[in-house]
Amino acid sequence: MGVFLKRIIKYTPSGELLLPDDAGRGLEASYSKAFVDEVDGAADRAVWSSDYINEIFMHFYLRMLEITSLFKASGSDGVVLKSYKGEWSSVVAAAKKGGLHVGFLDLAYFYIFGTLLYIASFVAVVLSAFIFPGLALLTRKRRPTEVAPEFSVIRSPAAFDKMRFLSDSGKVDFYYDDLLQRKPSAASLYGFGTRSERIRSLLIVPVLAFRDYFRVANDSRKLLGWGGGGFVLYYFSKRIAHKCTFEYYLHLLIKRSGLEAYYTGNKEDRFAILEKRLCRKYAVRCVCVPHGIEYAFKTPAGLVGDVFYCTTEHARQHLSNLYAGAQVFVYDKDVAQQMFSRHQVVAPVKGIVFFPESRGADVNLSILGDLLGLGYDIAVKLHPKDDVANYKHYAEQITFVSDFDSSISNKICLARKSTVLVEAIYNNSTPIAILTDPRDRGYVEHMLPSLTDDQILRVYSVEELACVLAKLQASA
């Protein structure tokens, strides 16, 4: 069967891929202009029908391309499936795409299990499609049907943080997607509609959910094949009913006369494409104030917004070229300042804060060890999904901080490939991207245009990091 990939790839206890140096260099090489061009071409060729297409493309198809690149870099001509945990389906799809040998029994299991997931996903969609609109009807109090001429529906705390300045201006009203929250918001999206409209949701939302089920099945089959489609559907089966309930109530608002503009913090996910579709249908001006940084590659359905506010000038230039003529991309320093500012008092830059990522625990620890080896006092601000237990080896040498606002303001901010680096620009901090890991290096250089902005320092070795920190400390 040739050189098995299990000799190349290992996993952490959580199932996360660990790459040795040779495979890592190969994966870095895959994050190149040629790789991005391949992704852009696939996005242009994609024939799609669902609002989920960008997420299918980014979370499943793109991952398949990444693993295919790793196969090529490793020189493998066969794959042992038992050595793969959480990404088993992506590995099979990548192996098939790359022409690698997969055993008959493994391949049969892949298709049989994928088929069973189609069935399980359908059952999950059917049940939740009747539960979710009923939940909205019973738990969200009906409110007056008047809608502000300019409004936004906030779906997450991150989106609220980036768009709060619009509400503070008094021009834009905020409503909230609070269906999955125990405590209803006073301005819940699900409180709109007449009594009859709300009751009709019990019938219409299931229809929308069945539509989405078959469209997702169709789109995923085209990108990943029959077997891979079952795994994609299973992922979305727990999310379809929520999206369709959101769609029903947002439709009630956007179709009303007198609307001037709709603001969104979503960029390219299923909610963004839904918002884009409804705004175009009813000729409502759509403005995107994204709560995350932009990607360098195309997506099949593009980005939401007639106007899209970029996080940096470099990102604006890149997106304007990538989606030429599709929409207006704007970089406004004042808007960016309002999006990212944590409103702390400006003071001399003092102190070093490291912001680890939620994934790649080994890379986080390696960087932290290097920093401590340089003799600096290091504060660590953990990602919400990270665990302090991951850093027990250095627990007595570092200081954990919990307040993000003070951590991102007036500091030297160190991170790998995080939005934190962009936020630091607008909070009187000095951002440094530490790119000692091959995958991080390739991703920043070719996949995240905002992080190549001149205002973000980039270092590629411990020695380079030591020089940069010494200069900054000397000038402080």
Side-chain angles (χ1 to χ4, degrees):
M1 189 178 275
V3 182
F4 294 146
L5 201 62
K6 70 176 179 179
R7 298 175 185 170
I8 300 296
I9 293 183
K10 297 180 181 180
Y11 281 82
T12 66
S14 62
E16 185 177 323
L17 281 169
L18 285 177
L19 307 180
D21 290 341
D22 55 345
R25 285 192 292 271
L27 190 54
E28 179 191 4
S30 74
Y31 293 128
S32 62
K33 185 179 185 305
F35 180 78
V36 174
D37 288 344
E38 180 183 1
V39 175
D40 290 346
D44 287 334
R45 293 189 300 272
V47 179
W48 52 277
S49 57
S50 77
D51 294 329
Y52 305 72
I53 182 60
N54 284 348
E55 290 173 285
I56 298 171
F57 187 83
M58 293 168 62
H59 302 324
F60 295 92
Y61 184 78
L62 183 58
R63 185 56 179 151
M64 181 184 73
L65 291 184
E66 290 174 340
I67 296 175
T68 301
S69 297
L70 179 58
F71 285 169
K72 293 177 182 177
S74 70
S76 296
D77 58 11
V79 55
V80 177
L81 297 180
K82 66 181 180 181
S83 65
Y84 302 92
K85 298 183 181 179
E87 296 190 303
W88 184 80
S89 61
S90 296
V91 170
V92 177
K96 286 168 53 58
K97 180 177 176 61
L100 275 69
H101 176 75
V102 180
F104 173 78
L105 292 178
D106 289 323
L107 203 57
Y109 181 72
F110 172 70
Y111 282 111
I112 292 172
F113 192 50
T115 300
L116 292 175
L117 288 179
Y118 276 99
I119 299 171
S121 299
F122 184 77
V123 173
V125 170
V126 170
L127 293 176
S128 58
F130 287 100
I131 293 172
F132 273 64
L135 182 67
L137 182 63
L138 295 174
T139 64
R140 299 305 184 261
K141 185 181 297 185
R142 192 166 70 90
R143 56 180 292 130
T145 56
E146 292 82 8
V147 180
E150 297 188 6
F151 76 95
S152 176
V153 177
I154 303 298
R155 298 199 55 255
S156 69
F160 176 77
D161 285 343
K162 299 299 182 295
M163 300 176 69
R164 180 187 303 178
F165 71 96
L166 294 172
S167 179
D168 293 342
S169 70
K171 292 179 57 180
V172 182
D173 279 4
F174 280 7
Y175 310 127
Y176 295 88
D177 175 12
D178 62 349
L179 188 59
L180 301 181
Q181 298 176 13
R182 290 184 178 181
K183 185 177 180 181
S185 165
S188 173
L189 167 68
Y190 304 100
F192 283 98
T194 64
R195 184 172 287 102
S196 61
E197 286 174 331
R198 288 162 59 78
I199 292 174
R200 279 199 297 272
S201 70
L202 300 176
L203 297 176
I204 296 177
V205 169
V207 173
L208 296 177
F210 298 153
R211 174 206 65 187
D212 278 11
Y213 172 88
F214 289 108
R215 287 183 177 179
V216 170
N218 185 52
D219 288 350
S220 56
R221 179 187 56 80
K222 289 178 180 178
L223 284 177
L224 299 162
W226 168 261
F231 293 88
V232 176
L233 265 174
Y234 182 72
Y235 173 82
F236 284 114
S237 65
K238 302 179 287 292
R239 297 164 171 85
I240 285 176
H242 177 205
K243 179 265 183 185
C244 291
T245 308
F246 178 95
E247 176 178 353
Y248 180 83
Y249 281 91
L250 182 63
H251 183 260
L252 294 181
L253 299 189
I254 288 186
K255 73 177 184 179
R256 298 181 185 278
S257 61
L259 294 185
E260 298 175 5
Y262 177 76
Y263 292 81
T264 179
N266 307 311
K267 298 196 312 293
E268 70 280 290
D269 67 4
R270 58 193 178 278
F271 294 94
I273 303 310
L274 160 64
E275 291 164 335
K276 180 178 183 178
R277 175 164 56 83
L278 291 181
C279 285
R280 285 186 174 179
K281 180 178 180 179
Y282 293 103
V284 173
R285 181 172 177 264
C286 185
V287 179
C288 181
V289 182
H291 72 261
I293 56 179
E294 310 87 342
Y295 292 104
F297 53 85
K298 276 187 178 180
T299 53
L303 302 176
V304 66
D306 300 305
V307 177
F308 187 104
Y309 280 94
C310 300
T311 55
T312 66
E313 172 60 21
H314 194 276
R316 185 201 67 79
Q317 294 174 8
H318 185 88
L319 294 180
S320 295
N321 293 329
L322 187 65
Y323 294 104
Q327 57 210 119
V328 177
F329 292 95
V330 176
Y331 172 66
D332 185 313
K333 187 174 181 179
D334 291 336
V335 171
Q337 185 71 40
Q338 293 180 82
M339 287 169 59
F340 291 108
S341 175
R342 311 306 292 194
H343 307 291
Q344 301 292 292
V345 176
V346 174
V349 175
K350 185 178 181 181
I352 301 173
V353 183
F354 176 46
F355 295 80
E357 295 190 7
S358 60
R359 305 186 68 179
D362 61 312
V363 180
N364 293 333
L365 290 174
S366 175
I367 291 173
L368 187 55
D370 290 336
L371 286 168
L372 293 172
L374 296 176
Y376 291 104
D377 293 329
I378 303 297
V380 176
K381 175 64 180 75
L382 295 183
H383 188 281
K385 295 182 180 179
D386 204 349
D387 190 336
V388 68
N390 292 331
Y391 304 88
K392 59 184 179 181
H393 182 70
Y394 298 114
E396 296 182 358
Q397 299 173 263
I398 59 179
T399 301
F400 290 101
V401 292
S402 58
D403 182 62
F404 181 81
D405 291 358
S406 60
S407 300
I408 198 69
S409 304
N410 310 309
K411 300 292 191 299
I412 296 173
C413 296
L414 311 178
R416 291 161 54 195
K417 53 182 190 304
S418 169
T419 310
V420 162
L421 296 166
V422 175
E423 294 186 87
I425 295 173
Y426 302 101
N427 288 281
N428 193 48
S429 288
T430 302
I432 303 177
I434 302 179
L435 305 177
T436 54
D437 177 69
R439 191 174 193 274
D440 291 345
R441 188 157 56 242
Y443 216 82
V444 166
E445 297 290 350
H446 299 289
M447 305 292 275
L448 300 169
S450 288
L451 298 191
T452 57
D453 192 273
D454 292 339
Q455 298 173 90
I456 299 174
L457 302 177
R458 285 172 283 164
V459 298
Y460 299 88
S461 67
V462 180
E463 294 75 19
E464 190 175 359
L465 176 61
C467 291
V468 170
L469 288 177
K471 289 180 181 179
L472 292 174
Q473 293 290 321
S475 62

